[in-house]
C-alpha cells in the first residue's frame, strides 16, 4: 500500500513529529452521504493497482513523495475491515474500505453506523490469502484504504517494511481540502 503527499508533508513528519503520522478527520470525498465523512479519523492509503503493470500507479495526484508500506503491516488477521463507500469522479470507480483495531472507537463507530463488515479472507475488494497471509486487491475498482490508527514511519523504515520514494506528480499535486464529491450522474454507482 502507499500514501502520496508533497515532500514538505514528509519533511514535517520526519523533522517535527518524530516520524509519527497522526490520523485526521475524514473529508467529504466520494459519496456525500457516506457515514465516515467528517466522523472518524484515519489515514488514506492507496491499495489499487495499475491493471496492466499490476503495480501502484507511476504518478500521483497527491504529491511527489510516496510512502510504500508492506500491506501486511496495515491489514492483517488482527484487524477488522468495513466497506464504506463506492463512487466515481470521472472515469474510474473507487471503493473505500476502513481498517480498524477491534473494539476501538472507530470500530464501534463502523458497527453503530451499519457499515458492512467484510471477511478479511473472503471479500471482493481487499483480502488476505489464508495460505500465505499475503494481501490481495481487486483490479476491478480502485481501492482506497482508510487506516484508523497512527503510524510511525521510523518504525516502518527500521523494520524494513517500507520506504519513501519519489513519484511523478500530476495535476495539482495535492489533495483538495474538503475532498471531491462523486460524479452526479453515473449508472453504476448512483443507485
Amino acid at each position: 500500500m502507499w500514501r502520496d503527499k508533497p515532500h514538505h508533508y514528509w519533511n514535517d513528519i520526519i523533522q517535527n513529529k518524530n516520524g509519527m503520522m497522526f490520523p485526521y478527520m475524514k473529508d467529504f470525498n466520494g459519496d456525500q452521504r457516506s457515514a465516515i465523512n467528517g466522523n472518524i479519523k484515519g489515514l488514506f492509503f492507496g491499495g489499487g493497482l495499475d491493471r496492466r503493470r499490476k503495480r501502484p500507479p507511476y504518478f500521483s495526484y497527491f504529491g511527489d513523495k510516496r510512502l510504500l508500506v508492506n500491506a501486511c503491516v496495515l491489514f492483517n488477521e488482527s484487524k477488522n475491515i468495513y466497506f464504506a463507500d463506492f463512487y466515481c469522479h470521472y472515469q474510474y470507480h473507487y471503493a473505500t474500505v476502513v481498517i480498524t483495531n477491534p473494539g476501538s472507537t472507530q470500530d464501534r463507530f463502523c458497527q453503530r453506523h451499519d457499515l458492512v463488515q467484510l471477511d478479511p479472507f473472503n471479500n471482493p475488494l481487499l483480502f488476505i490469502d489464508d495460505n500465505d497471509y499475503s494481501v490481495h486487491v481487486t483490479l476491478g475498482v480502485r481501492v482506497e484504504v482508510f487506516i484508523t490508527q497512527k503510524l510511525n514511519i521510523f518504525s516502518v523504515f527500521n523494520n524494513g517494511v517500507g520506504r519513501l520514494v519519489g513519484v511523478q506528480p500530476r495535476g495539482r499535486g495535492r489533495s483538495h481540502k474538503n475532498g471531491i464529491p462523486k460524479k452526479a450522474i453515473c449508472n453504476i454507482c448512483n443507485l
Side-chain angles (χ1 to χ4, degrees), residues 19-74:
M20 193 64 69
M21 293 172 49
F22 293 98
Y24 58 90
M25 190 60 69
K26 164 70 173 75
D27 63 16
F28 290 86
N29 191 60
D31 192 312
Q32 299 301 293
R33 295 168 298 191
S34 177
I36 65 172
N37 289 348
N39 288 310
I40 66 172
K41 293 182 178 182
L43 298 163
F44 267 111
F45 280 80
L49 302 175
D50 177 275
R51 288 181 183 183
R52 280 184 286 114
R53 299 180 319 121
K54 313 266 187 306
R55 300 186 55 77
Y58 66 89
F59 66 90
S60 170
Y61 293 111
F62 303 107
D64 60 351
K65 289 286 182 187
R66 173 173 289 167
L67 175 66
L68 292 167
V69 179
N70 184 313
C72 298
V73 171
L74 304 174

Side-chain angles (χ1 to χ4, degrees), residues 135-188:
V135 175
H136 299 267
V137 65
T138 181
L139 296 178
V141 297
R142 296 191 176 186
V143 178
E144 296 180 320
V145 183
F146 196 61
I147 306 295
T148 59
Q149 66 188 46
K150 60 187 176 183
L151 181 68
N152 187 312
I153 62 172
F154 291 157
S155 176
V156 167
F157 299 157
N158 291 338
N159 290 319
V161 292
R163 65 188 189 282
L164 270 176
V165 298
V167 65
Q168 179 183 335
R170 187 178 278 183
R172 294 167 30 116
R174 58 182 162 56
S175 57
H176 292 264
K177 183 177 179 183
N178 293 313
I180 302 172
K182 72 177 182 177
K183 188 169 138 183
I185 300 170
C186 177
N187 294 333
I188 297 172

